[in-house]
Amino acid sequence: MAGEDELKLLGTWASPWASRVKIALHLKGLSYEYVEQDLDNKSELLLSSNPVHKKVPVLIHNGKAICESLVILEYIDEAFGAIGPSFLPADPYERTIARFWAAYIDNKLAIPWAQAFKANTEEEKAEGLKQTLAAAEMLEGVLKECSKGKLFFGGDNVGYMDIALGGLITWLQETEELCGAKFFDTAKTPLLFEWMERFSGLDAAKVSLQDGGRLVEFAKGGGLR
């Protein structure tokens, strides 16, 4: 990392979106200052850095704030393109495919999952879980297509889609404990199950993802946002 670059990450330990950014920074080998945020008492730094949404994560690079996890991933990849692995493919069409499926992960997997967890009725919970399971099965096929038989969505190396889904791993793994549903298993999603084990074993994931037991207690206490 160049000496003049100063990186600061605003996040919360439980945020899967902040985990994405941590993973990306570690994969690039970038040094950064992490500043834990209290979302019940938002800091002036967070409010001034993200005045529109007032949420984490926010990456501050040399005083300039970048918001939204997927946007931050692209920024890191472009701003530090000469350092570490590239997250997005060089081919323009393949880049659009990666962006499409990363947005799918947020809209069709993460949102229904959160709705299921926070549902007020059993019907709402069942519908959220149904949509999440359908998205997981869809991503099984996407992994087969995009990986071309290799280790990750990005092929031989971790890519944009890997990080997008990888940041959510601990939350998704603990869904069986929290909601009574299992999204990744050897029967319905064998490729994703193996991918999840492989991704979780990466050094960048080990230092960035949450402890499952602590996360369950946090979620049961009403901590999910």
Side-chain angles (χ1 to χ4, degrees):
M1 177 177 173
E4 66 271 14
D5 285 311
E6 180 180 306
L7 290 167
K8 183 178 295 186
L9 174 61
L10 311 185
T12 64
W13 72 269
S15 168
W17 324 117
S19 293
R20 285 175 170 173
V21 181
K22 291 177 183 178
I23 291 167
L25 290 168
H26 282 284
L27 285 170
K28 285 285 190 180
L30 297 170
S31 300
Y32 66 97
E33 177 187 356
Y34 176 71
V35 185
E36 179 74 12
Q37 299 296 299
D38 179 358
L39 297 184
D40 293 321
N41 184 24
K42 296 178 180 179
S43 69
E44 286 301 319
L45 179 59
L46 175 59
L47 295 174
S48 62
S49 301
N50 190 357
V52 177
H53 298 298
K54 303 177 177 64
K55 62 183 183 180
V56 298
V58 177
L59 181 70
I60 303 174
H61 180 205
N62 293 338
K64 297 178 180 179
I66 306 96
C67 307
E68 301 296 323
S69 63
L70 293 180
V71 175
I72 295 171
L73 296 187
E74 291 204 40
Y75 179 83
I76 292 171
D77 201 30
E78 293 181 12
F80 301 96
I83 301 174
S86 295
F87 303 146
L88 282 162
D91 180 77
Y93 175 74
E94 291 183 0
R95 282 203 302 273
T96 64
I97 295 299
R99 291 183 179 116
F100 175 88
W101 287 114
Y104 180 90
I105 289 167
D106 279 3
N107 296 325
K108 299 298 184 180
L109 184 78
I111 289 177
W113 179 90
Q115 290 173 342
F117 182 79
K118 296 186 287 187
N120 294 318
T121 67
E122 286 301 315
E123 290 77 11
E124 290 176 354
K125 178 181 176 181
E127 180 59 28
L129 291 176
K130 177 183 176 182
Q131 291 182 28
T132 309
L133 285 166
E137 291 178 11
M138 174 67 75
L139 289 170
E140 174 79 0
V142 174
L143 175 57
K144 182 178 181 180
E145 178 69 22
C146 291
S147 69
K148 297 178 176 62
K150 296 181 180 180
L151 298 176
F152 300 102
F153 284 96
D156 289 320
N157 300 310
V158 172
Y160 186 68
M161 290 173 59
D162 294 287
I163 303 170
L165 184 58
L168 311 179
I169 280 181
T170 310
W171 278 105
L172 294 171
Q173 285 177 322
E174 300 303 331
T175 297
E176 188 171 10
E177 173 73 18
L178 296 169
C179 298
K182 192 172 185 178
F183 298 132
F184 302 144
D185 60 38
T186 55
K188 292 183 178 180
T189 56
L191 296 178
L192 273 177
F193 184 83
E194 291 181 3
W195 170 88
M196 182 177 64
E197 295 293 313
R198 191 179 302 119
F199 190 92
S200 299
L202 297 171
D203 289 341
K206 290 177 181 178
V207 299
S208 303
L209 295 174
Q210 307 88 347
D211 173 75
R214 183 185 178 195
L215 200 62
V216 168
E217 292 303 312
F218 173 76
K220 287 182 175 179
L224 180 63
R225 295 178 182 275

